[in-house]
Amino acid sequence: MNKYMEDTKGGLLHTYNQFPVVLDRGEGVYLYDTEGKPYLDFAAGYAVCSLGYGNKEVNDAIKNQIDKLMHTSNLYYNTVCGEAALKVCKASGMDRVFFTNSGGEANEGALKAARKYAYKKGTGRYEFIAMRESFHGRSFGAVSVTGHDSYREPFEPLVPGVQFAEFNDLDSVKALVTDKTCAIILEPLQGEGGINLATPEFMQGIRDICDKEGILMICDEVQCGVGRTGAMFCWQKLGVKPDIMCMAKAIGSGFPVGAFAMTEAVAEYSLEPGDHGTTYGGNPMACAAVSATLEIMERDNIPQHAAEIGEYLAAKLDQMAASNPAVLGRKGTGLMQGITIDTEICGASGAVANKALEKGLLVIGAGADVIRFVPPLVIEKEHVDEMVEILNACL
Ligand SMILES: *Cc1c(COP(=O)(O)O)cnc(C)c1O
């Protein structure tokens, strides 16, 4: 074990099985450990660092804001929050946005916004339908709609009124709809659950149910959003617009910030002063990071670049699946893809990730039998080639 790690690790609560490496700095699509060894990064800090490391414009925007004004509280308007909100609205197709500190908080707020909508309309609806294999965060509300027993069981009883349908199985959703259903929540492209892309038909089917019954559709785009799938948000690619959506991870390029946003039709009947709040959420630094990130995404056509490199990555992974017996298939789209692996041949995803680390590549699993690829969106084809070469050697 690294000496620095040995000397300092005692204080942390052991909630992560951390890789045996101490990262020191980053540049472009590479990270460097304390010994100066480079790592090609196909994890991007869990799909966060989409503009790569050391983006000067984002860094300058945050640094300048620190010197100007770090914090005010949301009782006071400032020169950055309104602009960031308008940029989020423009990119997401939503009309009203609430900034949070994280993806989990964005989902909490979205669930509360849906409950408030039903409350104010007097419909008596309060139940949520969520998806199996979903992931929405670790706080009580978010974990209550997360479809993995292992994340839920130790913390039960959770928020009541949640039921789980099968992802991409519309009949299983229909079977759970009652006159008490308040909202249906899903990731258009599931991340933690193994990189599962919703079909346009499934999305449209849910949209139709929601429109017919007066139910709200919530899309959690915390991982798949902000250009990663080749569209600014994945729902745009699938052609089905939600009523409420959540974002975080890449929206601040590494600065801790998230948001939930909604259409005007929902906002009109939803959260009002006193209903919801956050001390830090959307503070000036966070908003400066969001504005800079979205500006660069749009100006440099980053989603388009993600689509192009994503196609190249898909072709390479398909080749791997055809030639390497440990690779069973490919999933996902854009720069959010995965391969299913035969764990009998190569071990579980964690073991493969550890081998890759030794060879200078960072990848993460999405369940034991899927290796996930969520690199910075600014990677080029040569980085894909480098990744494939290393990974093939690990499988
Ligand atoms: C990471 C993630 C979250 C939780 O975000 P945090 O910032 O860790 O709270 C929620 N939903 C999805 C889809 C995620 O990938």
Side-chain angles (χ1 to χ4, degrees):
M1 197 190 276
N2 177 296
K3 172 97 172 59
Y4 180 82
M5 205 168 180
E6 226 164 60
D7 290 350
T8 59
K9 218 183 164 199
L12 280 177
L13 186 65
H14 186 214
T15 47
Y16 301 98
N17 286 317
Q18 290 179 314
F19 288 106
V21 63
V22 181
L23 296 173
D24 184 45
R25 65 186 186 90
E27 201 182 314
V29 298
Y30 289 89
L31 286 163
Y32 297 83
D33 69 13
T34 45
E35 259 90 79
K37 176 178 167 185
Y39 297 85
L40 176 60
D41 186 11
F42 266 66
Y46 266 106
V48 168
C49 307
S50 284
L51 297 175
Y53 300 96
N55 183 292
K56 189 163 170 5
E57 280 174 83
V58 176
N59 291 5
D60 283 348
I62 298 169
K63 283 182 208 169
N64 292 339
Q65 192 58 49
I66 286 178
D67 287 338
K68 235 175 130 187
L69 181 64
M70 255 208 254
H71 182 79
T72 60
S73 106
N74 287 306
L75 279 182
Y76 304 98
Y77 208 74
N78 59 61
T79 59
V80 269
C81 64
E83 191 191 319
L86 286 176
K87 285 199 164 87
V88 169
C89 289
K90 183 162 172 251
S92 67
M94 297 284 122
D95 302 310
R96 299 280 170 179
V97 54
F98 181 103
F99 288 110
T100 66
N101 302 291
S102 69
E105 280 176 50
N107 279 288
E108 288 293 327
L111 296 173
K112 280 180 72 179
R115 283 260 175 104
K116 177 66 198 286
Y117 178 86
Y119 176 85
K120 199 164 175 191
K121 285 225 158 177
T123 62
R125 292 174 178 272
Y126 65 92
E127 290 178 358
F128 295 109
I129 298 175
M131 301 298 143
R132 292 197 193 287
E133 306 306 322
S134 64
F135 181 82
H136 298 292
R138 305 295 197 151
S139 52
F140 267 101
V143 113
S144 298
V145 291
T146 287
H148 286 272
D149 288 344
S150 65
Y151 292 161
R152 302 159 48 83
E153 261 173 29
F155 309 105
E156 286 171 344
L158 299 172
V159 174
V162 180
Q163 285 183 293
F164 291 95
E166 289 298 328
F167 193 68
N168 274 341
D169 178 348
L170 198 58
D171 287 337
S172 80
V173 178
K174 281 183 184 157
L176 298 176
V177 172
T178 73
D179 62 0
K180 294 281 175 268
T181 309
C182 163
I184 301 176
I185 181 167
L186 78 160
E187 299 150 85
L189 173 49
Q190 290 188 331
E192 296 302 302
I195 313 292
N196 308 310
L197 180 61
T199 62
E201 296 73 30
F202 185 60
M203 288 283 282
Q204 188 58 52
I206 289 180
R207 184 69 270 171
D208 293 344
I209 293 170
C210 289
D211 290 343
K212 183 160 159 262
E213 309 280 340
I215 296 169
L216 296 178
M217 179 173 181
I218 305 174
C219 280
D220 177 351
E221 296 230 10
V222 168
Q223 189 162 157
C224 62
V226 198
R228 186 156 288 282
T229 62
M232 201 58 193
F233 288 95
C234 191
W235 74 257
Q236 292 156 337
K237 185 170 168 137
L238 298 170
V240 178
K241 185 176 178 177
D243 302 297
I244 303 177
M245 58 173 287
C246 303
M247 60 202 92
K249 292 199 165 98
I251 194 88
S253 293
F255 197 91
V257 55
F260 62 97
M262 61 192 81
T263 61
E264 194 66 52
V266 176
E268 209 180 317
Y269 289 93
S270 194
L271 304 172
E272 299 167 283
D275 283 339
H276 197 59
T278 162
T279 300
Y280 287 132
N283 83 5
M285 287 186 295
C287 287
V290 168
S291 279
T293 301
L294 291 179
E295 230 167 85
I296 296 165
M297 285 271 168
E298 197 181 323
R299 184 195 67 205
D300 297 351
N301 289 323
I302 303 283
Q304 176 63 28
H305 181 75
E308 282 166 25
I309 304 293
E311 264 180 48
Y312 186 75
L313 173 65
K316 288 282 166 182
L317 295 177
D318 283 340
Q319 258 175 32
M320 267 180 106
S323 61
N324 190 325
V327 182
L328 303 175
R330 178 187 66 83
K331 313 203 261 186
T333 185
L335 287 176
M336 184 163 166
Q337 298 192 41
I339 50 171
T340 315
I341 51 172
D342 186 336
T343 55
E344 302 263 296
I345 299 179
C346 60
S349 58
V352 175
N354 266 309
K355 268 193 230 167
L357 178 84
E358 268 175 42
K359 296 182 192 295
L361 169 69
L362 303 187
V363 286
I364 46 179
D369 65 344
V370 174
I371 294 172
R372 165 170 29 181
F373 308 101
V374 286
L377 304 185
V378 294
I379 60 160
E380 300 293 344
K381 288 178 182 171
E382 73 218 43
H383 301 119
V384 173
D385 294 340
E386 186 184 341
M387 182 279 286
V388 168
E389 194 183 318
I390 300 177
L391 194 62
N392 258 324
C394 300
L395 293 165

